[in-house]
Amino acid sequence: MKAVLDTSVLIGEDAPADVEAAISVASITELHFGVLIADDADERARRADRLGAVEATFDPLPVTLEVARAWGRLAAAVAQRGGKPRRRQIDLVIAATAQVEGVPLLTHNAADFQILGGLLEVRRP
């Protein structure tokens, strides 16, 4: 199965099995942010190692014009459904990437994407 991995999967303990995985460049943003805000040197080193492994493993999918348009549509849908899209921008760009690629989004945080029901296939790894 092909899928886009949410950042929660990238920082999880186990890689999903039997998945042809891709990631959004937005996940690299989240991982870099995590390294930069780590308070503890050991934690910062652990996060930096994970970031390095992810960067060595994946060629992240970019935010293309098509992804940007899908992102805008998903953000509008969140607002129309009573959500607050500004709080979920990174999640929304990752979701838009999966939508444009026509593949499921694998996440450990399915509840974060529940508001997008019917617009995107979301699965747990």
Side-chain angles (χ1 to χ4, degrees), residues 13-89:
E13 294 299 317
D14 299 317
D18 300 322
V19 173
E20 185 180 329
I23 66 168
S24 167
V25 71
S27 287
I28 298 298
T29 300
E30 284 191 306
L31 293 172
H32 270 283
F33 177 71
V35 170
L36 295 171
I37 65 163
D39 292 333
D40 174 84
D42 289 338
E43 179 63 15
R44 190 168 28 263
R46 188 186 69 72
R47 291 179 183 187
D49 287 346
R50 176 64 55 104
L51 172 60
V54 168
E55 289 180 333
T57 303
F58 295 97
D59 183 17
L61 297 168
V63 178
T64 62
L65 183 57
E66 190 176 5
V67 170
R69 287 179 177 145
W71 181 6
R73 287 190 300 272
L74 290 176
V78 169
Q80 291 163 354
R81 294 173 179 193
K84 301 203 181 301
R86 293 194 187 274
R87 294 183 180 173
R88 311 293 322 159
Q89 289 301 312

Side-chain angles (χ1 to χ4, degrees), residues 14 18 21 41 90 92 94 107 109 116:
D14 299 317
D18 300 322
I90 298 293
L92 289 172
I94 294 169
T107 181
N109 303 323
L116 297 175

